[in-house]
Every structure is written in C-alpha cells, then in structure tokens.
Amino acid sequence: MAQWTSAVGAGQLARLLGSQQDRPAGPGTRRPPAYRALADGIRLLVLEGRVPVAARLPAERELALALTVSRTTVAAAYEALRAEGFLESRRGAGSWTAVPAGNPLPARGLEPLPPEALGSMIDLGCAALPAPEPWLTRAVQGALEELPPYAHTHGDYPAGLPTLRAMIAERYTARGIPTMPEQIMVTTGAMGAIDAICHLFGGRGERIAVESPSYANILQLMREAGARLVPVAMAEGLTGWDVDRWRQVLREAAPRVAYVVADFHNPTGALAEEDQRRRLVDAARSAGTVLVADETMSELWLDDVEMPPPVCAFDPAGSTVVTVGSASKAFWAGMRIGWVRAAPDVIRSLVAARAYADLGTPVLEQLAVNWLFSTGGWEQAVAVRREQARQNRDELVAAVRRELPDWEFEVPRGGLTLWVRTGGLSGSRLAEAGERVGVRVPSGPRFGVDGAFEGYVRLPFTVGGAVAEEAASRLAAAARLVESGGAGSGGEAPRTFVA
C-alpha cells in the first residue's frame, strides 16, 4: 500500500523551485553542487508546507526533464533527502515527502508560536497584539453580569445574540449604511465567517479571485475548501488596486467569489481609495461575482487618514458585497467574535448551513463584545491599540532600516503589517535561517499563489523598543547566513517551523 496521500507534478514542482532563485553570488562565494541545491530547495518547500508531507514526488526522469538537469542530479538530490529524513521511498510506490523523526509537522498557515517557545524565539509570524487592558477584564466582567438570563436557555444562537446583531447593525447604520439586524450573522472570528461564505458560494472546483499577495490563512482556507484561486496582482507600492486588471479577470475568469482586504491590506498595508472601491463593486456586479470585503483592519488607522466609505457603501442592499468584520485585530485575537453583513436571504442561507458546522458562537464572548460596543469601551480600547501599534511600527521601521538598509518597503498608514522586499534574498531561506538565530518570520510565498513573492517577508507591528531592535539584529544575522550559503545547505534541521 502506498504511503503517500497526494502528489506533486513535475511541472508544479519545477515552478515552485524556480521561485526560490537567490541573487547572484558575490566574489568568493561558493555555490553548492546542483544536486545539493535541488535537495535544499525541495526541503524548504516541505518545511514551509508549500509541498505537503506525504506528497508523492515526480519520478527522477520526469523531474529531470522539467528542470532540464541530468537524471543523476535528481537521483543524488533524492538520496540526500532520504538521508536527512525528508524523503521516503519504496520500490513500486515511488518517493514521498516526510519530516525527520522528532520534528513537528510543518503548518500551512500562520499560527501563533507556542507560549513555551516565546522565551528564546522572537515571534514575527502572527500579526496580533496582547489584549488592551483594562478593557478586556471589564468586558468579561460586564458579560458575566448579563449572562444569567441566557444561562436559562439552550445557549445556541446560530445567527448570534439578537442584542449583538442589533448593535452591529446600528454601527453600520451610523457609518452611513442603513442595516437591519436581519443582515447580520455573528461568527466565530473572521475565519469562521469566510469559511461559511466559501462553503455557501465557492464550492469545490469554483474559482475565487484573490489579491496577489493576500492573507496567507485565508488563501489556505480556500485551498482546503477545494477552490481554484485566481490571483490578481496589486498595484505597485501602497497605491492599492489595479481596477482595470480586476475588471478583466472578473470578466474573463468569471469567478463565483472575489476576496479583497480594502482597509490596510494584509500583508501590504495598502488602503483602497473611494473610486477604486466603487469601480471594484461595479465590476463585480457586472460579472455576477460575490465580492467578499474583509474589513477586520478598518479601525486600525495609525496616521491622520481620512477613511473612505466601506466597500458595502456602494452596494447598500448587499446583493453583490458580503462584508466580514471582526474583533480579533482591532481588539484582541483571543476574542473570537466576527460577523457577516449581507442581504437577508444570504444571512438565512448561512445560518441554515451552520447547523452542520459549529452551531453558533460562544455566548459569553458575544456579551463581552456587546458590552464594549454599548458602553464606549470599544472606542477607548481601540485607541489604546492604535497607539501601541503606531509606536511599534515606528520603532520596528527604524530598527530594520538601521540593520538592513538594502531591504525596501513603504510605511503603511494603518494596519499591522510591513511588506518587505529583501534585497534579492530568498524569503524562504530567510525564514529558515531566522529559526536558527531566534526570530520567526513568514516568507513571501505564503501570501501568494504557486510560488510568488519569494523575494519578500512580512513583518508585523507586534514588537517594539528593545525587542524590535533585537528582532532586526537577528534578521540581519539570518540575512548574512543566507548570503554566505549557511542556510539551506544541510546540517541540523531547525527545531521550530514557521507556521
């Protein structure tokens, strides 16, 4: 019986490997043998989860033809991977990827670093800040006071607590978008909201248009749902969205769903202008595409910014735009409360499907968010969050510019992330080298489709002060490792994988 559970074609593997090209070696720098470079490239793909564990690799002859190298080179690379524990083979069954005994399986999304590892590792993998106190404690205390009447019920509210649905609707109405409670469903975080939307509109095999780059965890969620991702390139820098390109993709590819983060985009930090939003909604409406607008970052403006109207303002009835919001970024990631704003018939369909998913969202957390919204605590807590993120951003930017002057980026006016071009170095190799020197950073390809953005990393504004300076220093050390060929050239595998 075969030990592999999926397969990677020779052409696909060649494309993924081709995205890892480093800048030309400097004088005196030794290039590894061709077989070693190939083995390192495949190992990096496994470590980052871009090639799954237990995936069957192409036969030696097939991969040699796709890469235009000798079969001997591929055979030697496979043998090196078997010796290191990253490949297993059996006659008649082929060869499939593995991880060495004692190492954790690599994750394919961006997951928080386990708390026990925080002492030795600076975690730049997760764009989330600690809870703003005392507002978290006060919100939970307020929720406990409101809990007794709900404790006498079954506790299942598939659409969300009526009081919270009404409060969220009032907040949209106050922003100039008249909204009824029937247009709101409370979810378990934004991820829960988008998962429900993808299953309703984007079944297996359906096309979903996504920004390129886009949020890594959402891309992986869509892949796991069986969607066919159609990337649409972002405009240069922080100028936002190329709407003409979007219109062309929506017209020609006819995706069932399109996913955008118009407010301080993750990972680039770009902010879509009002006219871009209007034209994007028009393009989606013309193509018959459901436009999912993720506004989880919308309240995290850090500079003096005149915020444009929400994307749903250009589709007030919700016939084209489905909006997703969340308390996780603006307040605290541990507060797993999200919501969907859409037409009432869409909400009814989402609620009906929930009977076969998670049934509902925890009551106590809903009451806590409702307390924040109804008392003004939300605005005060978010103000604390903005100040913390602003200070972290400025200190991290200064540290990176000092330690890594060749790295390029534009400073966003809001959000939680910095999208950095790494001076020609491989982001995947930087991520691996970072693990060795004590800084965890996600590489650019996690935010792209099929190997794009190898020359980038994402740095969140989650650390400041001396920690930001140390993080930049460790990133510089990782860059020196990559430049010298010390990363990805065999030796001891890193103990902790970027997630």
Side-chain angles (χ1 to χ4, degrees):
M1 180 178 177
Q3 301 298 306
W4 48 272
T5 57
S6 62
V8 180
Q12 179 188 6
L13 185 56
R15 288 193 299 274
L16 290 170
L17 289 165
S19 71
Q20 295 179 334
Q21 298 301 317
D22 288 332
R23 61 187 176 188
T29 302
R30 296 177 58 187
R31 284 289 190 186
Y35 85 89
R36 182 68 261 174
L38 176 55
D40 289 344
I42 294 174
R43 182 167 61 90
L44 278 173
L45 293 174
V46 174
L47 290 177
E48 286 214 316
R50 292 161 62 198
V51 168
V53 174
R56 185 181 186 275
L57 295 186
E60 294 171 3
R61 188 184 302 277
E62 294 175 2
L63 186 57
L65 288 171
L67 295 174
T68 63
V69 299
S70 71
R71 182 177 177 181
T72 302
T73 296
V74 177
Y78 279 13
E79 181 58 36
L81 290 168
R82 277 190 287 268
E84 295 164 8
F86 286 93
L87 195 69
E88 296 181 9
S89 303
R90 195 175 70 206
R91 186 179 298 276
S95 299
W96 55 93
T97 56
V99 292
N103 284 278
L105 293 177
R108 303 191 72 185
L110 299 179
E111 300 172 353
L113 191 68
E116 61 270 17
L118 290 176
S120 59
M121 183 75 66
I122 297 176
D123 185 10
L124 297 181
C126 187
L129 291 162
E133 287 288 22
W135 303 109
L136 174 62
T137 298
R138 292 180 182 177
V140 173
Q141 290 171 341
L144 287 172
E145 293 176 0
E146 299 292 330
L147 182 61
Y150 296 94
H152 293 292
T153 73
H154 50 61
D156 288 334
Y157 295 86
L161 295 183
T163 182
L164 181 55
R165 296 176 72 196
M167 182 62 67
I168 295 171
E170 287 178 17
R171 290 174 65 84
Y172 277 107
T173 300
R175 295 167 68 187
I177 307 105
T179 302
M180 304 178 295
E182 291 79 8
Q183 291 178 262
I184 302 296
M185 181 177 83
V186 181
T187 63
T188 307
M191 292 290 288
I194 294 171
D195 182 55
I197 293 166
C198 286
H199 280 88
L200 179 63
F201 292 111
R204 187 164 294 277
E206 290 281 3
R207 294 185 179 93
I208 299 181
V210 295
E211 298 145 329
S212 183
S214 187
Y215 179 37
N217 283 343
I218 294 298
L219 295 180
Q220 190 56 34
L221 182 154
M222 292 173 176
R223 292 187 188 102
E224 296 291 342
R228 298 163 60 190
L229 300 184
V230 182
V232 185
M234 297 282 289
E236 282 296 317
L238 298 180
T239 56
W241 287 253
D242 186 335
V243 182
D244 290 337
R245 185 176 294 167
W246 268 99
R247 188 177 297 278
Q248 179 183 359
V249 169
L250 295 180
R251 182 177 63 248
E252 295 178 357
R256 184 72 181 91
V257 177
Y259 170 77
V260 297
V261 186
D263 301 296
F264 307 120
H265 175 260
N266 187 352
T268 68
L271 177 66
E273 300 171 355
E274 180 174 347
D275 185 58
Q276 291 174 325
R277 298 168 187 239
R278 179 185 293 106
R279 293 172 59 207
L280 187 57
V281 172
D282 289 343
R285 184 181 294 114
S286 297
T289 298
V290 175
L291 183 62
V292 179
D294 184 338
E295 57 176 27
T296 55
M297 297 279 192
S298 63
E299 296 191 61
L300 288 177
W301 44 266
L302 306 182
D303 298 329
D304 188 11
V305 179
E306 183 176 350
M307 291 295 294
V311 175
C312 61
F314 306 102
D315 180 48
S319 59
T320 296
V321 177
V322 176
T323 302
V324 172
S326 172
S328 297
K329 296 298 185 184
F331 186 75
W332 184 45
M335 188 69 77
R336 304 303 305 155
I337 298 294
W339 53 86
V340 178
R341 182 199 180 276
D345 62 317
V346 172
I347 295 298
R348 286 194 293 270
S349 297
L350 289 170
V351 171
R354 202 166 192 183
Y356 310 101
D358 63 355
L359 293 178
T361 302
V363 170
L364 187 63
E365 293 185 16
Q366 292 188 70
L367 289 173
V369 171
N370 191 67
W371 182 92
L372 289 165
F373 284 158
S374 62
T375 62
W378 177 268
E379 285 72 20
Q380 296 177 66
V382 172
V384 171
R385 170 69 77 240
R386 289 193 196 106
E387 180 57 36
Q388 184 180 15
R390 182 186 301 114
Q391 182 175 342
N392 284 355
R393 178 197 64 181
D394 295 346
E395 291 171 348
L396 183 64
V397 163
V400 172
R401 282 178 171 165
R402 181 175 59 254
E403 296 286 343
L404 294 150
D406 291 340
W407 288 17
E408 302 172 16
F409 52 85
E410 293 186 53
V411 181
R413 296 175 293 171
L416 289 172
T417 57
L418 199 66
W419 186 236
V420 181
R421 192 191 301 268
T422 56
L425 297 178
S426 161
S428 297
R429 297 181 190 278
L430 280 166
E432 185 191 19
E435 295 281 353
R436 299 185 180 192
V437 299
V439 60
R440 180 174 181 261
V441 58
S443 66
R446 288 196 176 278
F447 303 88
V449 176
D450 206 14
F453 307 110
E454 184 61 57
Y456 290 82
V457 293
R458 189 195 72 173
L459 305 180
F461 316 144
T462 53
V463 297
V467 180
E469 293 179 5
E470 179 62 22
S473 176
R474 295 185 187 186
L475 284 171
R480 290 191 294 271
L481 265 179
V482 173
E483 288 176 320
S484 67
S489 57
E492 182 182 355
R495 293 186 179 182
T496 310
F497 297 100
V498 175

